Amino acid sequence: MNKLMTTAIAGVAFGLTAFTANAATLDDVKAKGFVQCGISQGLPGFSNPDSDGNWVGLDVDVCRAVAAAIFGDSEAVKYTPLSSKERFTALQSGEVDVLSRNTTWTMTRDANLGLNFAGVNYYDGQGFMVRKSLGVASTLELSGAAVCTQTGTTTELNIADYFLENGMEYEVVAFEKAAEVVAAYDAGRCDVYSTDASGLYANRLRLTNPDEHMVLPEIISKEPLGPVVRQGDDQWFNIVRWSLNAMINAEEMGITSANIDSKMGGKNPGVQRFLGETGTFGEMIGVPSDWAVNIVKQVGNYGESFDKHVGPDTPLAIARGVNALWSKGGILYAAPIR
Amino acid sequence: MSSPQNSFSLRKIVYDPKIRGLFFQTILFALLLYFFYSIITNTVENLQSRGIPIGFGFLDNASGFPVSFKLISYITSDSNAKLILVGLLNTLFVAVLGIITATILGLIFGVMRLSKNSIISAIATVYIEVLRNIPLLVQILLLYYGVLKTLPLAKDSLSFLGIFFANIKGISVPTISFGSAETPFIISIIVALIIMVALRLWSRKRQEKTGQQFPATKIGFAILIGLPLLILIASGWPVEVSIPELGRFSLKGGMTISPEFIALYLALSIYTSAFIAETVRAGIMSVSHGQTEASDSLGLPRNKTLNLIIIPQALRVIIPPLTSQYLNLTKNSSLAVAIGYTDLFASAGGVLNITGQALELIAITMTFYLLFSLLTSMFMNWYNSRIKLVER
Ligand SMILES: N[C@@H](CCC(=O)N[C@@H](CS)C(=O)NCC(=O)O)C(=O)O
């Protein structure tokens, strides 16, 4: 009977506490001492393990910026590699605090999945890669082709739309893991490999003979990629959004990890606000006043991060293009810190 | 001071095991109810607070999700419900074919393992032990990439008789369509099959009664071929054959069986056949050797001994574990997602990714797998009770 009582009490206790999820992600994160960040299972340039097994990339830098803002330590991050199919469930269920995994901002995802996009850290578009030997010069010649892609992506939906729109036939073969897609395309199962253009450049390096393949000129969709958080926690949303904005604003103001110390105590009011020397910007979002300093010092500004991971001097060799600042011919534009 | 009588009856109630049991069961039941109630209300509340809609309305929305291997016509503007149906049929298709093949292979290897010929039994032993001990997912991937690596590119397709082709995109076969006569044609086949069965039953009855034989099988087949042929001739022979031919990227026309399906089907069949072989072996060994000896002494040939004496008795031992192998095969087919075959799990996953209705979709998926499992079990139980020993 004693046993029965204990079970009953435990049952009641569990019933009361089960699923009483709390909204304050920041408190959780502070209590844990780190940010749990959802990333890809390996996409060079965006989130990929380096030779020492540390995750690096443009998407990883967003996670690191958030940790730098909160803890003053960009290393206070733990990573959860997620397939495209798993990612939203992982965020919804609270397995990760933020999802920074080349995820396209779409209306359904924003409005229907209980999630919010905190900004855009890379403007992408969907492209197609084929074997040079096929002699194809345009996507409009692809009628009847087999296309390899990943499940749970905007890619597979865009393909359906595009081929339908142009009255072309197609066969889609969709795999759960990026590695499987690449292997199947490499083996010749598909004539075409389609994903975000950035992903094409990254995964081309994984093919047996990268030089035998080419990316077709057409871009068939808009893929604004950005970090995602759960809906309903505005404070956390603000922290992620403004950590990214800080990186972009730093580039615009010419603040880099190398020169930030020399900017301290200067007279430019905008820079003073950025550095936390005036105003209470950190306090507004619930982080220390030197939050932006820590982001730039430890992670760098957006331009530095871009050049380091995907820029012209990396194997991906992606030009800034639309991802340049609005003031330099691109569309990258962050709201001001004021 | 209470009367001893009174306190005695109270005591009696408190210590009555029946009443006490009832009391605690009621409490436990109430707690359980409360437990589930709070889980459900909490979940609903949490979903609402995050703006995730609840309900099955999403099933009517257009899916937008492309599927290449499908048994019914489906386009991306069709509903999510239809997409799930496409996946469900793909699961049933690979499961049913897999079950048939696995049973045949399992029977063969199970009997082989018992063979007196040591080479034959060694082959069976290796087959069974190797396949049983490699994880299924590994076998699926191995077969898939194996299939891909062995088959040539589309432009160098292997061809048989100029109408069958094999390349890395699958095996292409010609298809026949009957245009306007499609429905009557199918009906005529069904009618012919019914006539065949009726004929057999009738001829058997007649033989039992009068001893006269009737060539039921021959005549039955004649009807099976003749009736549909008649229908086609009557409707002006609207037969069209579509033979695959090489297009720019792959073969056009006919029907193509995708390598994903082939790999999944083979892997499921082979893997499960190893387990079935062991079940068959155990079943046969459970039939006492005296039965074989008795049959031998009656002068029955070896194959008749096996078919008429051993197997019917062994089946009683084989059927229950066989059922669970069939269920395993069906459930294992959900590994399809690894190689891009759109089964129930993959199609529901596709809908989940687009709509985010996790709870609803998991409930749907679970219900279908459960339903299929229950139906299989019911059928096998029925079959088992039909073949059980009838004592006279
Ligand atoms: N941006 C698209 C596609 C994202 C995506 O999953 N891309 C693939 C191919 S580049 C990928 O990142 N795979 C890496 C992985 O699964 O770990 C989306 O959000 O749906």
Side-chain angles (χ1 to χ4, degrees), chain A residues 12 14-16 18-19 85 92 108 112-114 135 141 143 152 156-157 171-175 180 187-189 191 231, chain B residues 31 34-35 38 42 46 50 52-53 64-66 68 76 144 168-169 248-250 259-260 338-340 353-356:
Chain A
V12 175
F14 186 58
L16 286 174
F19 293 95
K85 208 178 154 187
Q92 285 161 341
T108 317
N112 205 43
L113 299 191
E141 295 170 35
S143 186
E156 69 181 336
L157 307 179
E171 180 196 2
V172 166
V173 194
F175 300 84
E180 288 156 1
R189 170 67 181 92
D191 310 294
Q231 188 171 312
Chain B
L31 286 176
Y34 177 71
F35 174 67
S38 59
N42 263 319
N46 278 331
R50 287 191 198 148
I52 302 177
F65 185 93
S68 293
T76 49
Y144 182 55
I168 193 162
K169 287 175 178 165
R248 174 156 191 189
F249 297 104
S250 41
E260 291 77 33
I339 54 166
N353 223 278
I354 299 162
T355 64

Side-chain angles (χ1 to χ4, degrees), chain A residues 39-43 82-84 87-88 101-105 109 150-155 176-179 193-196 198-200 203 206 223 225:
Chain A
I39 49 166
S40 81
Q41 293 169 324
L43 180 64
L82 299 166
S83 75
S84 13
R87 58 186 155 174
F88 300 119
R101 185 205 172 283
N102 52 315
T103 296
T104 305
W105 185 350
R109 290 173 178 177
Q150 204 166 343
T151 49
T153 57
T154 47
T155 317
E176 193 173 3
K177 301 239 151 74
Y193 170 34
S194 184
T195 183
D196 299 342
S198 63
L200 288 182
N203 283 325
R206 293 184 168 154
E223 307 287 332
L225 312 179

